[in-house]
Amino acid sequence: MRRGRSGALPRGTAERTLTSVGPAGPAGGSASGDRAGPGPASERPSPGRREASRLWHVTLSVSGAEAPVQEVRRALEQLAHDHPFLLTSRYANDHAEIRYWEEARDLHDAAAVALRLWGEHRSSAGLPPWEIVGLEVIDRETYHQRVAEGYGPPPASRVGVHPY
């Protein structure tokens, strides 16, 4: 059953419709054969089943007041020791960029972990009191597609902590 929305459509939209979904059948799908939600049925979690984790490429950028570059390097090396998934860190005396892979259920979870990373390890790793000024979280497929097309970040082949 399709219902059209009356009135003018928002700019950039050719058509806006609402799709009615029938009651769930015995297999958890709809009785009418319509999809019960976004994505194929194999990607939707079934009741009682935990959703599978995915890999997300995270780039976290931090910046703040100047700090001795040797202390920044030591702190990032300690962070890499505390958080062993770190691929690479680049740093200067007033900013740094950390790149790593995160395993999470969805983008929201991966971003939440990334946004806590700097603050949670600030005292244990001796990180400078910088603020997060940038965050990019992309799925594995998008990362590899960008690299293959030549416009994404270069592959993190140099694992470790490096100056800019």
Side-chain angles (χ1 to χ4, degrees):
M1 174 179 173
R2 297 186 85 160
R3 295 184 187 136
R5 182 178 173 190
S6 62
L9 294 173
R11 192 172 71 205
T13 16
E15 178 184 13
R16 177 174 265 185
T17 60
L18 300 174
T19 304
S20 177
V21 178
S30 67
S32 64
D34 291 334
R35 293 184 347 183
S42 63
E43 292 180 7
R44 289 192 311 266
S46 62
R49 192 183 101 207
R50 205 177 127 200
E51 193 172 327
S53 293
R54 296 168 51 190
L55 282 177
W56 301 90
H57 186 266
V58 176
T59 303
L60 182 70
S61 300
V62 294
S63 181
E66 289 188 11
V69 79
Q70 298 85 358
E71 289 181 24
V72 174
R73 179 182 179 89
R74 188 215 43 79
L76 289 172
E77 288 173 343
Q78 183 62 46
L79 177 63
H81 177 63
D82 295 347
H83 192 78
F85 325 173
L86 289 181
L87 291 176
T88 186
S89 297
R90 299 187 306 168
Y91 65 93
N93 63 344
D94 63 348
H95 65 283
E97 177 185 270
I98 300 166
R99 295 175 55 205
Y100 66 97
W101 289 98
E102 182 68 59
E103 184 175 352
R105 181 178 47 113
D106 58 22
L107 181 134
H108 293 97
D109 288 350
V113 170
L115 290 170
R116 290 191 315 263
L117 178 71
W118 192 261
E120 288 181 354
H121 289 276
R122 183 173 288 152
S123 61
S124 66
L127 298 168
W130 294 344
E131 68 176 330
I132 296 172
V133 295
L135 174 65
E136 180 185 53
V137 180
I138 56 175
D139 68 352
R140 184 174 161 180
E141 181 179 315
T142 302
Y143 174 83
H144 289 297
Q145 180 181 6
R146 284 184 180 181
V147 170
E149 292 174 357
Y151 66 87
S157 56
R158 289 181 41 186
V159 175
V161 178
H162 309 282
Y164 269 102

